Amino acid sequence: MKKLGWGLVGGGEGSQIGFAHRAGSKLDGKFQFIAGAMDVDPHKAFEFGIAQGLDEERCYSDWQEMLEKEKNREDRVQLVTVATPNATHHQISKAFMEAGFHVFCEKPMTMTVEEAKDLLEISKKTGQICAVNYGYTGYPMVRQMRSMVANGDLGAIRVVVAEFAGGFMADAKDDENPRVRWRFDPTQAGMAAVTVDCGIHALHMACFVTGQKVTSVSSDFGHGIKSRQLEDDNLSAFRMNQGTIGRLWTSGLAIGRTHGLTLQVFGEVGGIRWTQEQPNQMFWTPLNQPTQILERGGNYLSEAAQRANRITVGHPEGMVMAFASLYRDLGEVIIAMNEGNRPDEMACWYPNVEDGYHSIEIVQAMVESAKGGSAWVDV
Ligand code: NAD
């Protein structure tokens, strides 16, 4: 089968996240990288496009040129990934969707709830996909967690604890570093800092694994480095629509916690936990029984976890492969749409525009709660 054409906006040389998209999109043979506007500097965008093997005519100077030229081609790209800074996501995703392209947008999908609602409505109106890169949901063992919860293995879920706390914003000298300073400037970063940078992933995972939505929040935002205008620490309590009690801790001040993304889910008859730094293992403790370590690749895992697996047990898979799972899902869904077929239900597990919208709604409620002395705010 002919591969789907894939294009990348942002994610250029030296960017934090570009490599994982370029590598992840290739792994399962669904997409071919054929067009890009990968750098804000047109010269670098061209040079890097050539270095990545794109045809000269498809190394675009900016995303507007890419959109104008691609939309008139018969072999146009079918999926455009937007991996630019946050403030540009809404404008670029909107323009591509309205021109008939499917979009895979980096998180946070938008800066405001209004923008998120706009993308949701455009997606509904045009039928174009606007997926959001909560890439950690592509890990096989995260899919195993979701399957176990859905299967009732834990019973009703009482508590979910989501953490994304590392030391990445802990150096006070970074106040002078332009690459860090903008994150705490509301005119560039928007309504929140560490909550949209990191916490948003953990919140989405809590929803993804429990199959629930957040209904209300009470948040305490901290400024460990006093000069910062936006929070570098957030401890929140939340409630979910099936009564689950939620906890989120996200921080940039947690020196020593390298990445610090962990999810724990506690039900009536069992508990599970997973951490991103050991993504191939998941811990499962049935009530009153010893803890078991489930290994990625094991033939006892759920169909969804096995589906996201690629190599044999004991050979570690990592973050690029988690991103690749989302690309594979999207590829399957786009092919099914093109052929007028129904996609596999599990291919539809990729984070969609409604998930992107829900996340921004939660962040806005957290900001409001923190401003109101941690009062409970409905989402
Ligand atoms: P970065 O600053 O390292 O790189 C941004 C890239 O986009 C650069 O190559 C820059 O030249 C290019 N760029 C900027 N404006 C552009 C424009 N208008 N047109 C084309 N290219 C443009 O940023 P980053 O850390 O890679 O973050 C990019 C996005 O990815 C952010 O939204 C961030 O939140 C998100 N991100 C997601 C994850 C994840 O796990 N999903 C991880 C890190 C970053």
Side-chain angles (χ1 to χ4, degrees), residues 39-55:
D39 204 290
V40 69
D41 173 337
H43 178 69
K44 283 193 188 165
F46 182 80
E47 294 289 315
F48 192 58
I50 295 292
Q52 292 298 309
L54 300 183
D55 286 348

Side-chain angles (χ1 to χ4, degrees), residues 103-123:
V103 167
F104 186 22
C105 183
E106 260 306 342
K107 45 59 58 177
M109 187 172 83
T110 58
M111 303 279 275
T112 66
V113 172
E114 291 71 31
E115 289 173 352
K117 196 162 183 218
D118 189 38
L119 294 191
L120 178 66
E121 279 165 7
I122 294 169
S123 176

Side-chain angles (χ1 to χ4, degrees), residues 10 12 15-17 37 39-40 84-86 89 106-107 133 179:
S15 66
Q16 197 189 345
I17 210 61
D39 204 290
V40 69
T84 50
N86 303 354
H89 292 176
E106 260 306 342
K107 45 59 58 177
N133 188 30
R179 290 204 66 181

Side-chain angles (χ1 to χ4, degrees), residues 3 21-31 33 52 324 327:
K3 290 184 184 180
H21 282 286
R22 295 190 305 274
S25 62
K26 289 190 183 127
L27 283 192
D28 295 302
K30 296 267 182 285
F31 291 100
F33 185 20
Q52 292 298 309
Y327 277 99

